[in-house]
Amino acid sequence: MKHIPNLDGRSRVYAVFGDPIAQVQTPHLINPIFAAAGANLYAVPFHVTAEHFDGAWNAFSAMSNLAGIGVTVPHKVAACARCATLTATAKAVGAVNAVQRGADGRMHGALFDGQGFVDGLGEAKSRLRDARVLMVGAGGAGRAIAFALAAEGVGQLDIIDPMGSSLVFTLEMFNAVRGRECARAADVSGGWDYDVVINASPIGIKGSAQFPMPEASLHADLLVADIASLTAQTPLLRAARAAGATTSDGNDMLSAQIKLIAGFAVGLPAGTPLGQ
């Protein structure tokens, strides 16, 4: 049996709430980052149902050795409502995926999907400024990415999403952050003239839906990012790479985001990564 070598009375816990919880990757990704930084801090998953969320939140937030709470499905909105403060992204989107417990017991919420996406692009993120962007998907991750794209100064954002309410919410949020009307529901009747293409939906991993942009429209000058691609390559990424486009997958976003979550968990200001 393997033992945690440095677990002692001074150790702090970063709880991860979810339902289900078995698929959550945060603990095994973030604990090596804590260890490398010399932090006496351990992420532990907890199966918390929606029915028992309030009770679990109250119990854990009362513990002074709690560093924070990682939040996954279905608790991102409920946790947002319980936080004393929120980052700008979390406030705009109305959801959190990381919570930091202050020394005074107050809980501070953040959402790192968007910054994780942008940071995960590496040097390619310089291509976002003034770019014409097509994004498919306006759910929770898509909204956070849209917020980050606005902060990066993209020139135009066209969105495709079958949920009208999600689409309208994301368009209005983006335009408010950008300060001008440059986001719209995509109208591709005139073609697929974009600089950046983003899949922020489960297309390619779940269901039978196909990505709406034809493979023939992909070319070498594009930046194509598909956050659905984690353990398997999606048809979109396969075609984009065959066309010679610059690509980014979900692992790029996840790797960048987990460092941001780790920094927040150890008490650093939101948006400060822990580790290289």
Side-chain angles (χ1 to χ4, degrees):
M1 178 182 292
K2 292 184 178 179
H3 298 279
I4 302 174
N6 300 318
L7 187 64
D8 56 32
R10 295 181 297 275
S11 298
R12 304 180 73 206
V13 173
Y14 185 71
V16 182
F17 286 5
D19 179 24
I21 196 67
Q23 84 292 346
V24 170
Q25 301 185 59
T26 300
H28 81 86
L29 291 173
I30 205 169
N31 281 325
I33 299 176
F34 292 150
N40 191 359
L41 175 58
Y42 303 91
V44 182
F46 293 91
H47 187 185
V48 178
T49 64
E51 177 186 6
H52 295 111
F53 173 79
D54 284 339
W57 178 278
N58 292 338
F60 275 82
S61 62
M63 300 176 189
S64 59
N65 68 330
L66 183 85
I69 299 173
V71 187
T72 186
V73 175
H75 305 308
K76 293 184 177 183
V77 173
C80 182
R82 297 295 302 269
C83 289
T85 68
L86 298 168
T87 60
T89 309
K91 186 175 182 179
V93 175
V96 300
N97 67 351
V99 178
Q100 180 190 90
R101 185 186 187 278
D104 59 358
R106 300 175 77 220
M107 305 292 272
H108 309 285
L111 182 64
F112 293 119
D113 288 332
Q115 187 179 346
F117 172 81
V118 170
D119 289 353
L121 295 176
E123 294 181 0
K125 73 178 181 180
S126 63
R127 297 170 60 171
L128 295 175
R129 182 160 295 279
D130 298 323
R132 296 162 298 172
V133 180
L134 170 68
M135 185 172 73
V136 176
R143 293 177 184 183
I145 290 171
F147 187 95
L149 293 176
E152 292 295 319
V154 304
Q156 174 188 322
L157 177 63
D158 289 2
I159 303 178
I160 297 175
D161 192 288
M163 294 294 294
S165 58
S166 295
L167 178 62
V168 171
F169 180 97
T170 307
L171 294 174
E172 291 180 347
M173 179 195 67
F174 180 92
N175 287 330
V177 176
R178 193 72 177 89
R180 60 187 180 90
E181 298 291 316
C182 52
R184 64 184 184 180
D187 178 6
V188 296
S189 58
W192 303 85
D193 189 16
Y194 295 102
D195 304 304
V196 179
V197 175
I198 301 168
N199 180 29
S201 78
I203 292 176
I205 296 297
K206 296 180 181 179
S208 58
Q210 295 183 333
F211 195 77
M213 185 175 185
E215 291 185 3
S217 297
L218 299 170
H219 54 81
D221 293 332
L222 279 172
L223 168 59
V224 179
D226 191 338
I227 69 170
S229 179
L230 285 166
T231 58
Q233 183 173 228
T234 61
L236 171 63
L237 277 189
R238 188 179 303 113
R241 287 166 178 163
T246 300
T247 61
S248 177
D249 63 19
N251 289 298
D252 295 328
M253 174 178 167
L254 182 60
S255 177
Q257 183 175 195
I258 205 73
K259 294 173 185 176
L260 296 168
I261 294 173
F264 199 51
V266 300
L268 299 177
T272 307
L274 183 67
Q276 301 299 316

